[in-house]
Structures are given as C-alpha cells and as structure tokens.
Amino acid sequence: MPLTTLDKHTALIVIDLQKGIVGLPTAHPIDDVIGNACRLIEAFRRHDLPVVLVNVTGVSPGRVEQSRLRGEFPAGWADLIPQLNPQPQDHLVTKQTRGAFTGTDLDAYLKQRGVTQVVVVGVATSSGVESTARHAYENGFNVTLAVDAMTDMSLDQHTHSITQIFPRIAETGTTQDVIDRLERSA
C-alpha cells in the first residue's frame, strides 16, 4: 500500500549503515541510499522525532546452508558511517541477529516514547530491513518503508522484498514522500 500518512508519534529506524556493510557491493548505488537515509535523519531530528541507529556485530545462532562470516569482524567493521552524524538524543541499538528487535531494548524504547509507527531504511532490504519491519509489524507498530533509502546485495532479493513482502506488512514510499508527510503533520 502506498504511503498514506504518518502517525504523530513516528520513529525512524536506520539499519546497518556501518563501515563494514556499506563497503560491500550493492544492487543500487550506496551513496544514494546513504544520502536519502541522511535526509530522513535530518527531517526526523528537525521534528524532534526519535531516530534509532542500528549496527550489527554478530550473526544469529544456528546452522544455515549458505556460508556466512563467523567470529571476529575486522576493526571498525561495526562503526556507524560518519554521514549519519549520531547525536546524543539518538538511540543506538547493537544487534546480533538480522532484525533490530531480537535481544535488544528497541521495543521497550519505542513503547516508552509512545511510538505507534516506524519508518525503516538501510541495508540489506531482504535481511535487516525486512526482519526489522516484520518484527515491528508483529509488535503492533504501523510500518513504513522508504524504498529509495534501502538496498540489498542482490537486486532480485531487494525487488522481492519490495514487491512481495512489504505490501503485506507496511506502506511504502520514497524518502520525499516521508518528508512531505512529516512537513504536513508539523
């Protein structure tokens, strides 16, 4: 469903825009994704709405068929990129799984602030973004996804999430759609 509205108490969740991940090859130019995420961060801060910056420092336990990085990550791998310009009022979440809710304080943080809707952006669309969006939906939040502020390592997986998964759990729009709704609700 295309973006219709933003609740008065909406938070922005930025997934895994960290040094080790933005250096990987992506389906869309990462600089565009970062630029759009930063525009959203600035708009949410300007409206005194919560900004949650998420990084990942581990992987979910359990066996999988595809190989994945285990053990120690290179130095600086989990550092948030400087373009995000973290501020003291931002909430930082370090996750060990795909989604930002599992094993973190994110749900409690959002509910303590009366948040009823989240806008989720970042990398990777089919992994951290989708998992976080699904969990937010299951926890009762209205979910919006700014599709030009996210990308994936696989264009097919990115497209599948946007066209097949997101319409079932969220409204989608562009960075500008979200900013326009924020401006109208001010």
Side-chain angles (χ1 to χ4, degrees):
M1 170 182 274
L3 178 57
T4 59
T5 189
L6 290 178
D7 297 350
K8 182 178 177 182
H9 300 287
T10 299
L12 176 66
I13 303 174
V14 181
I15 302 294
D16 299 347
L17 290 183
Q18 62 190 63
K19 291 179 182 177
I21 291 181
V22 301
L24 298 172
T26 56
H28 301 93
I30 196 65
D31 289 340
D32 294 345
V33 171
I34 292 168
N36 286 331
C38 289
R39 289 178 53 215
L40 287 165
I41 290 168
E42 291 167 7
F44 273 73
R45 288 179 183 153
R46 190 169 52 253
H47 290 279
D48 293 319
L49 293 171
V51 172
V52 178
L53 303 176
V54 180
N55 69 341
V56 61
T57 61
V59 295
S60 300
R63 290 187 301 272
V64 295
E65 290 184 20
Q66 294 181 344
S67 65
R68 57 185 175 178
L69 185 61
R70 288 205 181 263
E72 294 294 316
F73 292 101
W77 191 88
D79 294 347
L80 294 171
I81 58 172
Q83 297 93 314
L84 302 182
N85 189 24
Q87 298 296 303
Q89 71 271 19
D90 296 341
H91 187 66
L92 304 178
V93 172
T94 296
K95 62 186 176 80
Q96 302 290 312
T97 61
R98 291 182 187 265
F101 284 91
T102 302
T104 73
D105 70 342
L106 182 55
D107 189 62
Y109 169 82
L110 296 172
K111 288 181 177 170
Q112 285 172 344
R113 279 147 192 81
V115 170
T116 57
Q117 183 169 7
V118 295
V119 175
V120 186
V121 301
V123 177
T125 308
S126 67
S127 184
V129 173
E130 182 178 315
S131 182
T132 299
R134 284 175 180 263
H135 205 146
Y137 175 76
E138 290 169 3
N139 284 7
F141 295 99
N142 294 316
V143 179
T144 295
L145 297 137
V147 297
D148 61 348
M150 64 181 67
T151 191
D152 202 292
M153 287 62 182
S154 161
L155 181 58
D156 288 343
Q157 290 176 342
H158 172 83
T159 301
H160 181 265
S161 292
I162 289 175
T163 61
Q164 302 300 311
I165 305 301
F166 293 168
R168 296 177 181 170
I169 62 172
E171 293 184 337
T172 60
T174 65
T175 295
Q176 193 59 52
D177 291 336
V178 173
I179 291 171
D180 288 348
R181 300 297 182 300
L182 282 174
E183 297 301 328
R184 280 188 218 141
S185 66

